Amino acid sequence: MENLILQLKNQIIEALNLEDMTAADIDDNEALFGDGIGLDSIDALELIVLLEREYGIKLANPAEGKEIFKSVASIADYISRNRKK
Amino acid sequence: MTTIAEISITPAGAILKGRLISTADITGLYREFAGDYPKFFKMDSLCKLGFVAAEILLKDISAEEKENAAIILFNRNASLFTDRNYQATIRDNNYFPSPALFVYTLANIVTGEIAIRHKIYGETSFYVVDSPDTPLMEEIAAGAFLTSSPSFILTGWLDYDDDHHYEAKLKLVRK
């Protein structure tokens, strides 16, 4: 899980152009939206694309998104249970 | 119309009021003259160019004065550089379109980015024309003073062809 979390942080930094940030700057459980890292709705769409492109996961139920994208740890947990590649 | 300040940014550097102030590239200019707006890195190249030009030009203008300002920009290539980048993400059969690129496939997004950053609530518009036709650009800016009475207008040429060919020639003008 540790490796997946680190890989995911680096993929998020690259996909979302978080230029001045490194994996070490993102706490595993820190909120990604709102007061935490401060991602916006376009970033949420990029994360959905990232899950499909890198892990073959299509979000079947958009309502799940809020829970899945809460933090890097919650995304990694979802990936580990649903990944197709 | 009276020109308050004028800036020119090309790959060769930035010239403010006739004086070379930096030879850095666009990201270098951001780090030199702004540096506190992480959203800059999410912008497309046209927006980054307009953003840094506006940062430098609007540095000493009060928030009160900016509130009622207008932004009127012109270029030849619209958002073509980003349109091409976006098209590249949907070229293959098994494609993954980029939402972050898609939102910049309109030239006038840059006027919004500048307005958001500086809390400018006046008119914003973006014209796509063949060449930097100064009389036409000035006529349109002068027209804005007649219709909406802005405190000043950020106006001029803002074109991004590719990473080696871009030009911002913007100025602040008062009535």
Side-chain angles (χ1 to χ4, degrees), chain A residues 15-20 39-40 42-43 45-46 49 52-54 85, chain B residues 27 30-31 35 38-39 41-43 95-101 103:
Chain A
L16 306 186
N17 290 318
L18 304 176
E19 191 92 356
D20 286 333
L39 303 186
D40 60 23
I42 300 298
D43 294 323
L45 293 173
E46 283 291 344
V49 172
E52 187 173 350
R53 187 182 63 226
E54 303 294 334
K85 59 181 181 184
Chain B
T27 301
Y30 164 77
R31 293 192 195 282
K39 193 170 182 255
F41 295 106
K42 294 171 186 283
M43 295 177 192
Y95 61 79
F96 294 94
S98 166
L101 272 178
V103 294

Side-chain angles (χ1 to χ4, degrees), chain A residues 3-77:
Chain A
N3 285 345
L4 176 59
I5 285 179
L6 179 62
Q7 178 181 301
L8 190 55
K9 285 178 183 176
N10 287 322
Q11 286 169 335
I12 289 173
I13 288 167
E14 195 191 338
L16 306 186
N17 290 318
L18 304 176
E19 191 92 356
D20 286 333
M21 206 168 250
T22 66
D25 297 327
I26 306 174
D27 189 274
D28 295 1
N29 295 297
E30 189 175 6
L32 290 174
F33 296 87
D35 291 338
I37 308 288
L39 303 186
D40 60 23
S41 56
I42 300 298
D43 294 323
L45 293 173
E46 283 291 344
L47 289 178
I48 291 170
V49 172
L50 189 151
L51 284 196
E52 187 173 350
R53 187 182 63 226
E54 303 294 334
Y55 303 99
I57 297 172
K58 276 190 181 180
L59 284 191
N61 180 6
E64 289 178 323
K66 204 173 172 188
E67 281 306 306
I68 297 167
F69 294 126
K70 213 156 88 180
S71 65
V72 172
S74 62
I75 301 174
D77 178 57

Side-chain angles (χ1 to χ4, degrees), chain B residues 21-112:
Chain B
I21 56 167
S22 176
T23 54
D25 63 8
I26 297 171
T27 301
L29 289 172
Y30 164 77
R31 293 192 195 282
E32 223 171 302
F33 296 101
D36 62 342
Y37 200 67
K39 193 170 182 255
F40 170 83
F41 295 106
K42 294 171 186 283
M43 295 177 192
D44 77 332
S45 301
L46 180 67
C47 285
K48 284 178 176 171
L49 178 60
F51 180 89
V52 292
E55 283 295 295
I56 297 168
L57 273 181
L58 296 169
K59 191 171 170 287
D60 297 321
I61 306 288
S62 72
E64 202 176 24
E65 210 180 349
K66 285 194 276 191
E67 199 172 307
N68 188 38
I71 304 170
I72 303 175
L73 303 179
F74 302 81
N75 82 3
R76 176 181 169 79
N77 287 294
S79 57
L80 190 59
F81 182 73
T82 301
D83 298 347
R84 287 195 179 110
N85 286 340
Y86 177 71
Q87 199 271 337
T89 72
I90 57 172
R91 196 161 30 205
D92 301 328
N93 284 336
N94 184 25
Y95 61 79
F96 294 94
S98 166
L101 272 178
F102 179 73
V103 294
Y104 288 105
T105 56
L106 269 180
N108 62 335
I109 299 299
V110 62
T111 62

